[in-house]
Structure formats: structure tokens, C-alpha cells
Amino acid sequence: MTENRSKTGLKIVVLGLLLGVVLYGGFAFSMKSTDQAQFCGNCHTMYEYVRTHQMSGHAKQACNECHIPASGVERYVFKAKSGAHDSYVTAFGTVPDVIHAGLDTKEVVNDNCKRCHDITVLNVAMDVKPYCTDCHRSVPHMNKLPISKRSAANE
Amino acid sequence: MSRKNCLLTAALCALAALFFGCAEIPEPKAPSYKTDLPETTVTNKPFEKPFPLQYKTYLRNDEDTIMTEYKGSVPFRKNDDVNQLPKGYKHAQPYLKNLWMGYPFSYEYNETRGHTYALTDVLEIDRINRYSDKAGLPSTCYNCKTPKMVEWVGKYGDDFWAMEFHGFRTELDLKDHSIGCANCHDPKTMDLRITSVPLNDYLAKEGKDPKTLSRNEMRSLVCAQCHVEYYFTDPKHGPAAKPVFPWTRGFDFEEMYEYYKDFGSVTAPGMEGWFADWTHAVSKTPMLKAQHPEYEMFIDGTHGAAGVSCADCHMSYTRLDGKKKISNHHWTSPLKSPEGIAAACRTCHTDKSPEYLKDRVVTTQRRVFDQLILAQEVSVKAHEAIRQASEWQGEKAADFDALMAQARERCRKGQWLWDMVSAENSVGFHNPAKALEALANSRRYSQEAVDYAMQATMFGIGPTLAGDIKQIVPPILEHSRKLQQSAEHLQSHKWLSYLPKFPEADLVWNLNKRVEGTPEAKEGH
């Protein structure tokens, strides 16, 4: 009787652990894959940005290496918020003619510049311009390229 | 597999596709269509049903009330800085009628408006003689006004150009045949195409096949079908009145000036065989007329040299249905509204505000416009100096004729250079350095013309040329074909007295209709 009960307990624990592993794995996998250009490029409004990303020196980095905070709870909160906003606008809202990054995204992206390139900027002052991309101007999706090199109708 | 399993698999596949991104991002390629429209379509209306969104933006070209600082869509008289809109405007060029004396442009020349008015405006303009059965200008004048050209050139070939302009009026519907879809699109696939004979001729000369040109090049070349400097072939040099773009030496204005030292039949000393559009009625100088050289101005400017196309700024993408991008087919000044600036400029200049961008444009325009007015004043002085010198009764220099020939050559060149800036529709913005260089050189050549004329008269005309040119030669505000029928009008200004009086006549043509009661012309086209 006692043996049976402990066996059942063990089963529950093992199953629970397994479920946890599967859930965590699933969560980690979906978090990771929804960071990628392949996922972001599912919406035609993002074609221009995924395309210029793929043409660029950052092609091997995921979109969200730049576009959401690097770690912590804020990473998940920011992602959920942006995802919800973008989904809503795509499904029910009006996409603007020209898509511009909001202030919060600009701050997040700039923090991520400094996160990866910290050694490069270690010995220099960073107070001349607000954003790294104020000098590194083609990094924001090659926005000085002629339109036809990065965009097309129906996107 | 059961139906349920099937659905489940499909759903899982779709989910997987979403996560792994089965969808490849396509190359940035313009969409191609398959319409039911015949290739010979030359009217606009049939395009509305298959392309309602683009058509809706096309109809926005009907807007003709909004002005910007220097441009806009009110067709005011470009020489009139006296009257208020819609007749005149604060930034007008008061000497235009003087400088084009003896040429149809002295009758009427207005600010441009949308493509939807192109046909109305060409049929209404006083440059073409509507008081006679002879327009005085060839059918080539339709070349950039209507997709009907495709049909006419197919039907008449090179005979078309010199045919009677009036003969085609009644074939035209003012709106349905105005510049439209078929000018730039293959009606079957909607692919960009070049229908312009002179542009295709130029590309052929350069060994370029329009079918293999890049999408980026085409996004400017469709505009370069019309927004260019051109001339009509002198019968000695090919099919009479066929339009040609004078580009084989280059797009620089001095290179184009050199080009015109050929292809003509001028007999004036020192200019034998040169091309001339007309002889200035007052100074008797064989002149060149510049026409809207947008393409030549922009192509080596800051934007053009960087590969930015006309369509990038003038046909910015818009999401009319809130979702998919279409090219905005409302061709106008991007400066009309902050929204217009945002759409045209902020796709690239993402970090700049519309106010800042507008200020940068107007800063260039103000400088160019101020210098343009000064260059025109020296140009008027050059014509007046040559007029006075040619009538000079006092002691003349030994090489009088040679000096006068040089004076006229400089006068011609000085006017060519300011006209290339004046006729260009960006007031310098499409190429600030090129515009200011042309105006600086224009003043130099016009001043040299004055100097040569002075020398020719042993400086005898010096006293009558001293002082404010506006007092010596007042700007001519009013002039038209109707006014030239009046002896009183021709006596109202020294320069007008050099014009022949026209016989009194009434209008024969009103747009695409013959005025009732006027006798039918015997010869059709």
C-alpha cells in the first residue's frame, strides 16, 4: 500500500518534471523563434525592414537582439506589449504610410548598441549625440538607400 | 488519415511556418498584373475599375488651389508680380515677356498644375495661335500631353510631327486623354514602359534597351519622357519638327549649349549652322529656349547622383486602405503640407522634422530665386545694349561687326543659362550647386554681351545704359496675341514697337471645339 502510494507520487513528480521540461522548452523555443527575422517577416508590412536587415552587417543577429531589452522581466513585458500592439494594428488598425520607431524602441535599440559594442566605445565620451545611429546612419535599415532597393508596392 | 487529423496537421504546419518563417522575403520588385485591357488603350477611365486606389490618387491631381512658398498648383502668370493670386504671385519673374519677345512664350506662360489638366492647358494656352486655322506650332506640342501619342505615332509615323496642331483638337477628350496611365504603363501588365519617341531615340543612341533598365532607373525615366529640355528638328537635319533631347554631349548646361552649335540653320555671322528657337525681336539675337529640364538638373544633383529617383519623392508609398502600399499617383509639390513632406522625405530622413526639411528646401530656393531675378535683369540689359548698339549712329569701333557678333553670342548664352534654372521647376532644390553656378555664369555672359556692345560703339551707348534697368527697360506686364492686334498696345512700350501688328481676328478655337460661326478650315490634318 505504502509502496503503491510512493510509486504514484514518484510518477506524478516525474510527469510533472517532464511537463515542466516540455513547457519550458516550448516557451524557450517560441521566445527564441519569435525573436527572428523569419518570424517578423511574416507580415508584409515588415518586408522592407527584414530585407534591409538581411542585406546588412547585422543579418546574423535576430531582430530582437536590437529591438527588445536584453534580459530580465522587462524583456518579456516589452515583447508582449510590442507584439500585442503590432498584431492589433495589423489586424484592426491603420498602418502608417511610413513606419517610424517610437521613443521607447529608440532607447532600447541604443542600449543594445552599447551592450554589444561596449569595448569599442569604452574609451570615448558618448554624450555628443543622443543615439549611436545619429552617426551610424545606415544601421537603421539602410534608410538612405533609394526606395526601389528596399521596398515595393503591395508590401 | 482522418479529416480531423488532416486539419490538425495543417494547423501545426501553419504554426511551424509562422515560427520558422517558411515565407521567403521577396526581392523588392514591382508587382506585375494581367489586365483585360487591350494594349492599345489610350484613355484613362478603363483603368479605374482594376486599379481603384491608384486611380483615386491620380484624381487628386485636380487640386489646383494650394501654393507653397515658391511653387504650387495655381496656374498664375509667371511674369506677374503685380496682381494677386490666381493672376499673379509674389514670387514671379517680371522680365519674362521682355526676354522672350518675338517668341510664343511672351504671350502666355503659367505656373504648372496637375497632369489631369495637361490637355486643357495646352489647348487653352495663348502660345498656340487660336485666332487662325494655322496654329503656328506643330503637332509635336501634343507629345507630352496625352497617351493619344501612342496611337498617332503608330498611325502617322514621322509625318505626325509637322501636321496641323488644330487638326487634332476635336479628337480629344479633355480629361480622358490627359496625361494618364498609358503614358507610363503597359496596359496589359502595368509594367513601367517608355512611350516617348525622343526618349527611346536617346536610349537607342546610348545603346540602352528600355526593357533591361533597372526598376530604379525606370522610376525616373518615366518622368524624363517629358520633364526635360527638348527641341524640334530643323528640316535640314531630319524629320521636320520631330522632338529631340539635346543630351548626346552630356547633361551639363554648358555641354548642352555646345550641342546647339549644330543641328540648326542660323545664318547670323559667327553662328552659321547653329540651332536657334527664334530671333529675339529687339536685339535680333538667335536665341535658345529652355524647357523644364527637371531630369537634366536632378540627375547629377545631391539626390540624383545618389540614385534617388523622381518617384522616391513625388510618388511616395501610401497605404490608402490602411494596409498595403501603393505608389501615390498625385504628382505635386511635396511641400504643400507637413504630411506631404513626411511622406516624401521622411522615408529616408527619418530623424528630421517636416519643419526642418521644409526650411532646408526654402533656404536653397530663396537664394536661387533671388539670383535668378538678378541674372534676368542683366540679361535684359544685354538685349538693350545690343539694340542700342545696332542702331548707333555715332562713331563705331573698327571691328564693330565682330564685336556685335560676340555680344549676341554672349547674350544667347547668358539667357540660355538663366532659362535652364528659370524653366526648371524646383527653384534650385533638385541641384542647388548646379543652379547657382548656372546663374553666376549667366550674369557673366550677359555682362560680357553688354561690354562688347559698349566697345562696338566706342562706349557711346554708355550714358543711355547707366542706371536702373527697370527704368531704362520697364518690365512688360501685359502681352498676348489679342493685344498684338492693337497698334496702341504696340506703342505702349519701346520693345513692343519692334513687333509686327497682327490683323484683327477673333478666336477660332475654344479648347477642343471650333468656335461657332467661324468658317471650317478646308484642309484637315
Side-chain angles (χ1 to χ4, degrees):
Chain A
M1 197 66 179
T2 344
E3 221 174 81
N4 260 355
R5 266 176 69 184
S6 68
K7 257 191 180 169
T8 315
L10 192 67
K11 269 186 189 165
I12 290 170
V13 170
V14 170
L15 274 176
L17 275 173
L18 268 175
L19 190 68
V21 167
V22 168
L23 278 179
Y24 180 78
F27 179 70
F29 171 76
S30 39
M31 279 307 290
K32 189 90 182 161
S33 51
T34 52
D35 281 344
Q36 310 297 323
Q38 285 90 331
F39 174 75
C40 301
N42 277 305
C43 291
H44 62 81
T45 46
M46 285 295 116
Y47 279 9
E48 175 178 344
Y49 309 101
V50 174
R51 184 181 290 131
T52 47
H53 165 258
Q54 287 173 349
M55 286 152 68
S56 79
H58 288 101
K60 285 186 178 153
Q61 269 66 49
C63 299
N64 279 347
E65 292 277 329
C66 299
H67 280 276
I68 61 171
S71 56
V73 181
E74 39 179 5
R75 181 171 173 84
Y76 304 114
V77 173
F78 197 95
K79 184 166 177 166
K81 238 174 84 181
S82 318
H85 170 265
D86 293 358
S87 308
Y88 178 80
V89 170
T90 303
F92 309 110
T94 305
V95 183
D97 287 350
V98 186
I99 299 170
H100 293 286
L103 258 185
D104 46 353
T105 290
K106 284 176 142 184
E107 292 300 333
V108 165
V109 169
N110 206 54
D111 289 346
N112 282 324
C113 296
K114 290 192 258 187
R115 178 170 60 88
C116 293
H117 298 281
D118 53 347
I119 299 297
T120 312
V121 298
L122 191 63
N123 292 323
V124 290
M126 295 290 286
D127 52 4
V128 173
K129 294 190 174 182
Y131 301 108
C132 300
T133 56
D134 288 339
C135 293
H136 298 272
R137 305 202 310 170
S138 68
V139 176
H141 298 281
M142 303 185 164
N143 63 34
K144 302 296 181 283
L145 269 189
I147 303 294
S148 72
K149 313 268 184 199
R150 50 188 163 108
S151 194
N154 285 359
E155 290 184 349
Chain B
M1 224 189 281
S2 75
R3 195 185 148 79
K4 209 172 161 189
N5 276 348
C6 234
L7 277 173
L8 195 67
T9 319
L12 277 174
C13 279
L15 200 67
L18 190 68
F19 278 73
F20 293 110
C22 270
E24 275 283 302
I25 304 299
E27 288 284 299
K29 227 180 120 208
S32 199
Y33 300 89
K34 205 176 168 325
T35 71
D36 298 329
L37 303 172
E39 213 168 341
T40 49
T41 312
V42 290
T43 44
N44 296 324
K45 202 73 185 154
F47 291 88
E48 183 175 13
K49 217 175 139 209
F51 303 101
L53 296 180
Q54 285 85 350
Y55 204 82
K56 196 171 163 190
T57 61
Y58 168 76
L59 291 180
R60 288 180 184 168
N61 291 290
D62 280 344
E63 186 282 302
D64 68 343
T65 55
I66 302 175
M67 290 300 291
T68 65
E69 183 63 19
Y70 285 95
K71 301 294 291 184
S73 300
V74 181
F76 73 94
R77 311 189 305 173
K78 290 188 61 151
N79 71 305
D80 187 344
D81 63 348
V82 175
N83 292 294
Q84 300 291 310
L85 283 172
K87 209 173 174 194
Y89 192 53
K90 56 180 176 175
H91 297 308
Q93 304 162 50
Y95 270 131
L96 290 179
K97 285 185 189 287
N98 300 61
L99 289 159
W100 294 329
M101 203 86 291
Y103 200 54
F105 273 86
S106 64
Y107 298 129
E108 189 176 8
Y109 174 58
N110 305 326
E111 180 62 70
T112 55
R113 50 180 178 169
H115 283 172
T116 47
Y117 292 108
L119 213 45
T120 306
D121 289 346
V122 76
L123 295 179
E124 205 167 43
I125 198 86
D126 196 35
R127 291 205 285 277
I128 288 159
N129 192 352
R130 294 162 300 156
Y131 298 89
S132 159
D133 282 319
K134 300 258 179 265
L137 285 161
S139 288
T140 322
C141 295
Y142 288 117
N143 188 51
C144 275
K145 307 294 178 198
T146 169
K148 265 280 206 186
M149 284 303 299
V150 179
E151 187 183 303
W152 289 335
V153 168
K155 193 169 169 190
Y156 302 105
D158 275 347
D159 291 340
F160 170 77
W161 314 110
M163 290 168 83
E164 177 50 51
F165 180 93
H166 290 328
F168 292 94
R169 280 185 188 254
T170 53
E171 286 186 32
L172 294 162
D173 182 281
L174 296 181
K175 283 293 180 194
D176 216 16
H177 286 130
S178 198
I179 300 172
C181 316
N183 279 100
C184 303
H185 292 284
D186 179 332
K188 277 195 137 127
T189 62
M190 298 311 280
D191 290 345
L192 288 182
R193 70 168 179 182
I194 291 168
T195 52
S196 156
V197 171
L199 184 58
N200 276 323
D201 285 353
Y202 166 75
L203 292 171
K205 267 184 227 161
E206 295 290 301
K208 286 182 182 164
D209 176 5
K211 289 192 177 63
T212 63
L213 291 171
S214 71
R215 175 171 161 241
N216 201 49
E217 286 173 289
M218 287 299 278
R219 281 166 59 88
S220 289
L221 284 172
V222 287
C223 311
Q225 299 187 98
C226 294
H227 290 261
V228 295
E229 154 64 5
Y230 64 88
Y231 72 100
F232 296 166
T233 303
D234 184 293
K236 277 188 187 164
H237 296 268
K242 187 177 185 182
V244 184
F245 301 163
W247 292 350
T248 46
R249 280 169 180 264
F251 293 121
D252 194 85
F253 300 162
E254 302 254 354
E255 288 169 335
M256 291 163 89
Y257 181 77
E258 291 303 310
Y259 175 99
Y260 281 124
K261 289 184 176 175
D262 203 345
F263 306 108
S265 53
V266 170
T267 52
M271 300 189 208
E272 292 90 351
W274 291 17
F275 182 84
D277 284 293
W278 90 108
T279 301
H280 194 278
V282 174
S283 69
K284 308 288 183 275
T285 306
M287 302 301 292
L288 292 173
K289 180 73 192 78
Q291 279 97 191
H292 40 68
E294 271 82 68
Y295 186 74
E296 300 95 318
M297 182 73 102
F298 127 96
I299 194 70
D300 55 359
T302 331
H303 287 95
V308 177
S309 73
C310 305
D312 286 11
C313 310
H314 292 283
M315 297 184 72
S316 53
Y317 285 126
T318 180
R319 301 178 201 272
L320 217 58
D321 59 358
K323 296 288 182 275
K324 285 188 174 181
K325 289 177 188 167
I326 62 157
S327 287
N328 192 339
H329 285 61
H330 181 198
W331 306 275
T332 187
S333 165
L335 297 191
K336 274 184 179 171
S337 64
E339 295 74 33
I341 300 171
C345 314
R346 293 193 74 234
T347 318
C348 301
H349 301 285
T350 51
D351 55 339
K352 302 292 191 292
S353 70
E355 296 72 35
Y356 173 88
L357 291 159
K358 182 183 172 184
D359 183 57
R360 292 313 305 159
V361 177
V362 176
T363 296
T364 292
Q365 291 181 325
R366 177 172 51 75
R367 292 180 168 137
V368 170
F369 192 82
D370 289 352
Q371 291 303 316
L372 171 64
I373 297 299
L374 293 174
Q376 289 173 338
E377 288 177 3
V378 190
S379 195
V380 169
K381 195 169 179 178
H383 285 287
E384 175 66 6
I386 293 167
R387 179 190 78 82
Q388 290 190 13
S390 62
E391 291 164 15
W392 178 246
Q393 297 299 319
E395 194 189 349
K396 289 178 181 172
D399 52 350
F400 178 86
D401 290 341
L403 285 167
M404 288 301 283
Q406 278 175 306
R408 288 200 169 95
E409 192 275 329
R410 294 297 196 277
C411 177
R412 165 182 156 111
K413 193 168 184 180
Q415 178 146 341
W416 163 252
L417 289 175
W418 69 248
D419 204 0
M420 284 300 271
V421 179
S422 165
E424 208 274 336
N425 283 300
S426 71
V427 199
F429 175 70
H430 288 155
N431 196 338
K434 189 165 170 168
L436 285 172
E437 185 205 33
L439 293 175
N441 282 335
S442 168
R443 283 175 75 173
R444 170 182 146 202
Y445 296 126
S446 297
Q447 183 57 49
E448 284 176 11
V450 175
D451 295 346
Y452 281 125
M454 290 263 216
Q455 254 178 283
T457 60
M458 311 284 281
F459 299 92
I461 58 171
T464 42
L465 278 180
D468 181 3
I469 190 66
K470 289 213 165 177
Q471 303 297 321
I472 302 167
V473 184
I476 297 169
L477 181 64
E478 302 290 345
H479 185 54
S480 65
R481 286 188 188 271
K482 189 75 207 171
L483 282 170
Q484 201 169 333
Q485 298 173 14
S486 144
E488 195 191 348
H489 170 69
L490 295 180
Q491 288 313 310
S492 68
H493 188 287
K494 179 94 201 160
W495 279 27
L496 288 171
S497 68
Y498 287 80
L499 296 174
K501 183 183 166 306
F502 287 156
E504 291 212 14
D506 289 321
L507 276 181
V508 178
W509 287 100
N510 178 20
L511 294 169
N512 52 354
K513 290 188 182 67
R514 175 171 273 274
V515 175
E516 268 180 54
T518 56
E520 286 286 335
K522 281 185 191 84
E523 38 185 328
H525 59 72

